[in-house]
Amino acid sequence: MSTTETAILIVVVLVGVGAFFGIVLALADRKFYMQQNPLIAEVEDVLPKGQCGACGFAGCAKYAEAVVENPDVAPNLCVPGKAAVAAKVAALTGKDAGSVEERKAHVLCRGGKAAREAARYEGVADCAAAKLVSGGPKACKYGCLGFGSCVRACPFDALSMGADGLPVVDVLACTGCGKCQATCPQGVMQILPASALAAVSCRSHAKGPAARKACPNACLGCGLCMRNCPHGAIKIDGCLAVVDPAVCKAAGCTEKTCLAKCPTGAIREAVE
């Protein structure tokens, strides 16, 4: 058999094998095909398509499938969609929408370029990568590393990097989906109820002098805010002040004396 005849035979065999398996797969697909409930597509269509996973499912399609087919899955799990989407999903699925509290991202750091640098980092411009090198280049090992990983992770373009080297939250665009919080290796991004009045923009648990040396804007754990809060909404936990937004809301606080008393400005408006 000549080389040409051999080549032709190989091609014929390959085409035949490919056609055979193509027919087998087509028959299998037809046999096992399951028609999707059209309601799933309707529910998915009203979702914001951020694919953020805040609902607890792997994307909008999976949540739509679950909320339609599982009676125990609530229609108000789409955080970016807020109450409006919850109402639409509830109407489509015949479920009770329940209550939905709007949420916003808050930056737990005011260090940025003001924080002292302990080393020079010249690697990949990514927060997780920078943290692998001795915990990052900043003297404060709790604060924002400033490489913008949270900004790139936000599916709603609600974050940008400010001139001070810190993320800036666009409260109008922020949906509180939590993607930035999940991405930040420092735990600097916090998701708070939109009704929250004040929050500590710091994560440092270092003692006062050490914290101040690393960053002039750090919480010193001095307790002034706690002693001046008339509602008991602030506690000191490991040299760091912590505000309970639920206590603030329940008390209907309007005076915000904690903001005025903080010597470093570590306590800020929760939604600025």
Side-chain angles (χ1 to χ4, degrees):
M1 184 179 291
S2 67
T3 304
T4 302
E5 290 174 331
T6 301
I8 292 173
L9 180 61
I10 292 172
V11 170
V12 170
V13 170
L14 289 175
V15 169
V17 170
F20 171 76
F21 282 108
I23 293 171
V24 170
L25 290 173
L27 292 174
D29 181 65
R30 186 171 183 178
K31 181 177 178 59
F32 295 107
Y33 172 75
M34 295 180 63
Q35 186 174 6
Q36 186 185 58
N37 186 338
L39 183 57
I40 295 175
E42 290 185 55
V43 171
E44 186 181 0
D45 191 51
V46 305
L47 300 176
K49 309 299 189 298
Q51 314 301 341
C52 61
C55 59
F57 295 89
C60 299
K62 287 296 183 182
Y63 173 54
E65 181 181 345
V67 76
V68 169
E69 298 185 343
N70 188 339
D72 295 327
V73 176
N76 60 1
L77 300 184
C78 179
V79 177
K82 305 173 186 175
V85 167
K88 292 178 182 178
V89 174
L92 287 169
T93 57
K95 298 178 177 180
D96 180 12
S99 60
V100 180
E101 184 169 14
E102 190 174 346
R103 303 189 296 179
K104 299 294 180 183
H106 174 75
V107 184
L108 292 172
C109 181
R110 291 191 61 239
K113 293 181 179 179
R116 184 171 65 85
E117 289 195 1
R120 185 175 180 179
Y121 174 75
E122 295 183 345
V124 179
D126 175 80
C127 296
K131 185 177 175 65
L132 291 174
V133 184
S134 300
K138 300 291 181 67
C140 175
K141 299 305 177 184
Y142 301 90
C144 176
L145 296 174
F147 293 101
S149 294
C150 57
V151 174
R152 294 187 291 274
C154 180
F156 301 101
D157 295 324
L159 290 173
S160 60
M161 290 304 294
D164 58 357
L166 292 169
V168 177
V169 181
D170 181 345
V171 294
L172 296 179
C174 180
T175 63
C177 71
K179 195 76 172 181
C180 58
Q181 186 179 50
T183 300
C184 179
Q186 294 289 84
V188 164
M189 301 304 298
Q190 181 184 28
I191 305 302
L192 290 173
S195 60
L197 299 174
V200 180
S201 297
C202 182
R203 286 195 66 251
S204 176
H205 284 277
K207 292 184 178 180
R212 188 66 177 267
K213 184 178 180 181
C215 177
N217 300 324
C219 173
L220 306 178
C222 64
L224 273 175
C225 54
M226 179 180 69
R227 291 191 292 274
N228 281 277
C229 176
H231 310 294
I234 304 175
K235 305 295 182 185
I236 302 298
D237 179 17
C239 300
L240 179 67
V242 179
V243 181
D244 187 338
V247 175
C248 287
K249 181 180 178 181
C253 179
T254 57
E255 58 269 31
K256 301 178 188 178
T257 54
C258 56
L259 275 65
K261 295 296 181 179
C262 180
T264 63
I267 295 187
R268 312 280 291 179
E269 296 273 358
V271 180
E272 298 181 283

